[in-house]
Amino acid sequence: MTDRIVYKILTPDEYDALTRAGSFSGSSADIVDGFIHLSAAGQVAGTLDKHFSMKSGLVLVAVDLSLLDPAVVRWEPSRGGQLFPHLYASLPIGAVVATAPVARTADGGVSLPV
């Protein structure tokens, strides 16, 4: 894949943990799976619908993959065979290039921070 900017959806508590600690080790689902789930721009709305439909106050962080060690990022098949970015390390705050509250667009998409 060639997407340089990918996204992580965080709950308010997870976002606070990222900003306090300077890195994020993953949600409970990430920890169980052994990697941090990320989404390309075109995958964010589907991820929200599937995994976060009942949550509020979510924060979308934009992650610049060029600021991470390429050895810890893998694009792997997931939902419907799509390739999703997976981070096999903690997410350092230095790789986060923008943040915004999760907001839907009129067409059902998601307003991306970058």
Side-chain angles (χ1 to χ4, degrees), residues 22-48:
S23 66
F24 178 66
S25 297
S27 67
S28 57
D30 295 332
I31 292 166
V32 166
D33 289 342
F35 55 85
I36 295 177
H37 294 265
L38 303 169
S39 297
Q43 298 167 328
V44 173
T47 299
L48 275 170

Side-chain angles (χ1 to χ4, degrees), residues 37-87:
H37 294 265
L38 303 169
S39 297
Q43 298 167 328
V44 173
T47 299
L48 275 170
D49 293 343
K50 183 171 174 98
H51 300 288
F52 296 91
S53 64
M54 303 305 286
K55 302 210 182 208
S56 61
L58 297 170
V59 179
L60 189 60
V61 298
V63 178
D64 186 335
L65 293 181
S66 72
L67 299 174
L68 297 171
D69 178 351
V72 299
V73 177
R74 296 185 204 149
W75 289 83
E76 299 174 311
S78 190
R79 188 171 61 235
Q82 294 180 66
L83 294 179
F84 278 78
H86 295 155
L87 176 60

